[in-house]
Amino acid sequence: MHRIELDLDGSSSNSVDADRDHLEQVLDNLVSNAIKFSPGGGTIQLRLRDRGDSLMVSIQDPGVGIPGDQLEAVFGLFYQAEDPVSRRTGGMGLGLYISKEIISRHGGRIWAESKPGAGSTFSFSLPRNVARRRVSLPARQRRAEPTRARR
């Protein structure tokens, strides 16, 4: 069983100018991964910290962890960890890639800290005032229309 703890900084101005739907997607990806890669259960901690001109969010899990040489690779397109938990739970290897794109397009950054067997912490920071612009993900690859045979 998993327990999720929320630790807010206590500041009354924990807000950023950002696309709500996309940030929900990032949080969903990170919390889902924390649960998926903590098969033994335990406490998952979500922390929100006021950093003055930015806001930092961290999701820490007690899970299987990630080797240091793979910490940057986990944000790559179609990356999948090579551990028994990943093989069992599956996935497309898109969640962290998409999360990185969303955070980057908001002018922020995302990173991971981890040790195998000791869990992981995924964090992202966002500037308080993002210039008003449309935040969109790369266009999906369009499916080719079936080719009709000519007679």
Side-chain angles (χ1 to χ4, degrees):
M1 179 166 186
H2 294 91
R3 176 185 161 136
I4 298 177
E5 290 182 356
L6 182 60
D7 178 11
L8 301 176
D9 196 7
S11 172
S12 61
S13 63
N14 287 332
S15 64
V16 293
D17 180 20
D19 182 306
R20 175 181 157 180
D21 292 335
H22 282 129
L23 290 186
E24 283 180 5
Q25 185 176 4
V26 171
L27 288 170
D28 181 56
N29 285 338
L30 296 178
V31 172
S32 295
N33 280 353
I35 292 168
K36 179 175 18 175
F37 291 101
S38 300
T43 301
I44 294 168
Q45 297 177 330
L46 277 75
R47 292 188 185 98
L48 180 66
R49 295 288 180 254
D50 183 346
R51 299 287 185 233
D53 62 346
S54 67
L55 210 59
M56 187 173 92
V57 177
S58 297
I59 294 91
Q60 182 178 14
D61 68 61
V64 297
I66 303 165
D69 63 342
Q70 294 180 26
L71 285 176
E72 284 299 315
V74 299
F75 296 102
L77 186 59
F78 302 119
Y79 175 85
Q80 292 185 331
E82 295 190 21
D83 61 59
V85 175
S86 292
R87 287 188 211 119
R88 221 178 20 251
T89 58
M92 297 289 294
L94 295 172
L96 291 175
Y97 172 78
I98 291 170
S99 295
K100 183 175 182 173
E101 284 293 313
I102 290 169
I103 296 301
S104 294
R105 289 167 189 256
H106 278 84
R109 73 180 195 96
I110 188 169
W111 67 96
E113 301 169 75
S114 185
K115 290 184 183 176
S120 301
T121 302
F122 283 81
S123 302
F124 64 89
S125 64
L126 292 170
R128 289 243 185 235
N129 297 311
V130 176
R132 291 260 180 209
R133 65 177 182 236
R134 183 178 175 91
V135 177
S136 60
L137 295 177
R140 292 183 182 167
Q141 211 173 13
R142 294 186 181 142
R143 293 183 185 195
E145 292 291 324
T147 307
R148 294 189 176 149
R150 294 185 183 175
R151 292 185 186 197

